[in-house]
Amino acid sequence: MVPVLTVRTEDGRTYRFSRPFHIGREHDCSVRIEDGRVSRKHVLVSFENGRWRVADQQSGNGLFVNGRRVETVPVEDRVTIRLGADGPIVNIEVESPALPTKRPAAPQQPVGETMLLDSYAERYFGAAASDEAVGGRTLMIRKAFSKVQKRQRRLYMVIIGLAVVAAVGAAVYAYRKHQELTQQKALAEDLFYTMKALDVDIANLERLVAASGNKQAEDQIRRYQDRRRQMESNYDRFLSGALYNRALTPQEQLILRVTRVFGECDTAAPPEYLAEVGRYIRDWQSTGRYATGVLRAQQMGYTAKIAQEFQRQNLPAQFFYLALQESGFNEVASGPPTRWGIAKGMWQFIPETARKYGLSVGPFAAAARPDSADDRHHWEKSTAAAARYIKDIYSTDAQASGLLVMASYNWGEMRVINMLRAMPANPRDRNFWKVLALHRDQVPKQTYDYVLYIVSAAVIGENPRLFGFAFDSPLAAFIDRQ
């Protein structure tokens, strides 16, 4: 027999199981834990080879026992697991089998009474005597009993039929709801990637206008922008909640909103994306780097200029946080020596890229020190150059994916662009999720971290107080206009 397993969660809930079950955030998990550090199906608890075992289901934050990450752990008598390094604790214990209790002996019928009952049963219902061999009273009793049996059989068949119909109806309803959700998700993704294709067209027309002042192209841009706003309104209706299997926390809603702002389809994101961004948010919360950088930008008057430059390029104002990750908004910052030279300034331009976007490189370019003759240290000039540079990446090979723009900015755009040019030239097949799916082993951890730190910083920036920071959104005046 399978021993009963008792499961206790941190919030006081207790469960008992004698069959396999999942622990996670999904609605269909037997033990459901609403926590951003918990994956949708985080662990499976099953009975194998005579004992219970807990197995990690490729969760984003892992399974931990005694502070050590494990893939699986047996439950000998009891075990305490943690879902993620700093996630919720779950106590699991095998119940001791109950001692058999001695049932009181049933009172014995007297032998004579038993024999009498047997004789009546044989007389009235036995197969030995035919209907012709019994009296009229016995025959009536037999017919009445047969009628009762038939009525009971019909009742049982009706009950079983109703149960089967109910089960089939529930299965059909669940299948139809699943199909409806799948179709809605596919339709939403089609709409999203149609919008992104339109974004690419708008960005290319804007580059044409900037180069030649083509008035006809300006009219086309306005028509495309009107169509884009209508499509975005339709897409927002799809995301009213029907496409998600559970209610989202306010923090998760902000993560998905910022993801869409940066040009990635939230419904196509990997299953662990929300928990992964949450981990980077906690990294920002654990240090003073976020508050220090944002406060510096506000005190020095950088915020409005940076937001306006990106919006002038029809880009999200949230690219503001790229400078936070690059330099902490330090306009005199210098990076380490590399084979491409020393990156300098708030936006950390290397010399070649700086010259390409009209910035003069000073005489101390080879030294990791401030240089007043170097435009990279002039934050207004370098901000305008950074916005143009990001716009070029965004409108061509990155296919309007802000996350691919960030990866290109950090890793060197030609490395990413050469990878992208081997992929189909459309936003559905050329986006951050596809790059990770196809080239995860080639993307450096530094670049992956860089992208997720900027996304998580932008999420916090939507409502810093929600994440424990004692100030309001630095971009509130600009985000409302997007």
Side-chain angles (χ1 to χ4, degrees):
M1 294 180 63
V2 178
V4 175
L5 206 63
T6 300
V7 179
R8 294 182 177 88
T9 61
E10 281 185 320
D11 56 7
R13 289 176 292 155
T14 301
Y15 304 83
R16 299 175 74 247
F17 296 99
S18 57
R19 55 178 177 75
F21 60 95
H22 282 95
I23 302 176
R25 290 187 290 117
E26 287 279 14
H27 278 287
D28 59 352
C29 288
S30 301
V31 180
R32 184 163 172 249
I33 299 177
E34 284 285 350
D35 191 295
R37 295 163 289 184
V38 178
S39 296
R40 297 187 179 184
K41 282 189 171 63
H42 203 108
V43 298
L44 171 65
V45 185
S46 59
F47 191 76
E48 303 172 3
N49 301 323
R51 63 180 177 179
W52 288 96
R53 179 170 294 277
V54 183
D56 189 10
Q57 299 297 287
Q58 297 181 342
S59 63
N61 292 322
L63 168 65
F64 287 78
V65 177
N66 297 325
R68 185 170 61 88
R69 183 165 185 168
V70 298
E71 294 299 322
T72 181
V73 60
V75 186
E76 302 295 352
D77 293 316
R78 63 179 59 86
V79 68
T80 298
I81 65 172
R82 187 181 284 273
L83 307 179
D86 59 346
I89 291 174
V90 179
N91 293 298
I92 303 175
E93 182 177 354
V94 180
E95 292 186 8
S96 300
L99 294 175
T101 57
K102 187 174 181 180
R103 296 181 181 177
Q108 293 185 350
Q109 290 181 322
V111 174
E113 183 180 336
T114 302
M115 293 177 63
L116 183 61
L117 290 173
D118 289 344
S119 66
Y120 273 115
E122 180 62 28
R123 175 182 175 183
Y124 288 109
F125 308 112
S130 65
D131 288 346
E132 293 81 6
V134 297
R137 183 181 176 188
T138 300
L139 188 61
M140 289 294 294
I141 291 174
R142 282 186 177 183
K143 289 181 177 179
F145 182 70
S146 175
K147 187 175 182 180
V148 169
Q149 282 186 315
K150 289 179 180 178
R151 189 180 300 161
Q152 286 180 330
R153 280 196 294 269
R154 285 197 298 269
L155 178 61
Y156 293 151
M157 292 303 295
V158 169
I159 293 172
I160 293 171
L162 290 174
V164 170
V165 169
V168 171
V172 170
Y173 176 78
Y175 175 76
R176 285 181 176 174
K177 291 299 289 183
H178 175 74
Q179 289 294 99
E180 180 182 340
L181 184 64
T182 301
Q183 290 170 359
Q184 283 185 329
K185 184 177 178 182
L187 187 57
E189 289 184 16
D190 287 343
L191 182 57
F192 182 89
Y193 287 118
T194 302
M195 285 193 299
K196 297 317 297 177
L198 196 57
D199 285 341
V200 175
D201 291 339
I202 291 171
N204 283 320
L205 284 170
E206 287 172 340
R207 294 171 70 224
L208 176 63
V209 170
S212 64
N214 188 314
K215 294 294 182 183
Q216 203 170 15
E218 288 182 355
D219 293 339
Q220 185 67 40
I221 289 172
R222 281 190 288 272
R223 287 195 294 272
Y224 279 178
Q225 288 174 336
D226 290 341
R227 188 190 308 172
R228 174 67 165 77
R229 281 188 287 270
Q230 181 60 48
M231 294 168 69
E232 187 167 8
S233 175
N234 293 336
Y235 185 72
D236 286 341
R237 283 199 292 273
F238 276 111
L239 301 180
S240 60
L243 289 180
Y244 297 103
N245 294 328
R246 62 180 181 83
L248 296 170
T249 66
Q251 293 88 341
E252 290 171 332
Q253 290 175 12
L254 288 181
I255 291 172
L256 295 179
R257 179 186 184 281
V258 167
T259 301
R260 294 195 298 272
V261 166
F262 278 130
E264 290 292 352
C265 183
D266 47 345
T267 60
E272 309 307 325
Y273 176 67
L274 290 174
E276 187 77 340
V277 176
R279 182 167 68 86
Y280 285 83
I281 289 173
R282 290 191 292 276
D283 282 350
W284 282 116
Q285 292 170 323
S286 66
T287 71
R289 191 161 70 97
Y290 188 92
T292 300
V294 170
L295 182 62
R296 176 184 175 84
Q298 291 177 314
Q299 290 177 338
M300 300 296 290
Y302 299 153
T303 308
K305 172 68 174 178
I306 293 173
Q308 289 164 359
E309 282 295 338
F310 282 112
Q311 289 183 324
R312 186 175 291 117
Q313 296 294 336
N314 199 23
L315 292 169
Q318 285 87 343
F319 274 113
F320 167 84
Y321 296 100
L322 189 145
L324 172 65
Q325 179 63 17
E326 282 287 350
S327 66
F329 298 107
N330 181 2
E331 71 277 12
V332 296
S334 293
T338 70
R339 59 176 175 154
W340 300 283
I342 295 176
K344 290 191 175 187
M346 181 186 295
W347 300 94
Q348 289 291 282
F349 276 108
I350 60 173
E352 180 184 354
T353 308
R355 294 188 185 98
K356 180 179 177 181
Y357 286 88
L359 300 178
S360 61
V361 176
F364 299 107
R369 50 156 288 186
D371 183 351
S372 61
D374 197 317
D375 284 345
R376 292 178 291 174
H377 292 308
H378 296 175
W379 72 272
E380 290 184 287
K381 292 182 180 179
S382 63
T383 294
R388 295 196 307 274
Y389 176 34
I390 287 172
K391 179 69 170 186
D392 284 346
I393 305 172
Y394 179 91
S395 62
T396 54
D397 295 279
Q399 293 289 287
S401 163
L403 274 60
L404 284 183
V405 169
M406 298 170 199
S408 301
Y409 199 100
N410 174 259
W411 194 18
E413 73 275 12
M414 290 315 298
R415 288 194 187 93
V416 178
I417 286 172
N418 287 337
M419 184 184 294
L420 296 179
R421 286 176 179 170
M423 301 169 68
N426 65 76
R428 181 185 289 276
D429 296 310
R430 190 182 288 189
N431 55 64
F432 191 67
W433 315 135
K434 290 293 185 181
V435 168
L436 288 182
L438 296 173
H439 305 289
R440 185 66 182 88
D441 56 336
Q442 299 175 42
V443 177
K445 184 179 184 301
Q446 174 192 344
T447 299
Y448 180 81
D449 290 342
Y450 181 88
V451 173
L452 270 293
Y453 272 123
I454 295 172
V455 171
S456 56
V459 172
I460 295 172
E462 298 289 291
N463 186 356
R465 295 186 187 277
L466 182 63
F467 297 94
F469 292 91
F471 51 86
D472 295 320
S473 170
L475 298 178
F478 306 96
I479 291 174
D480 290 343
R481 295 185 224 147
Q482 289 185 174

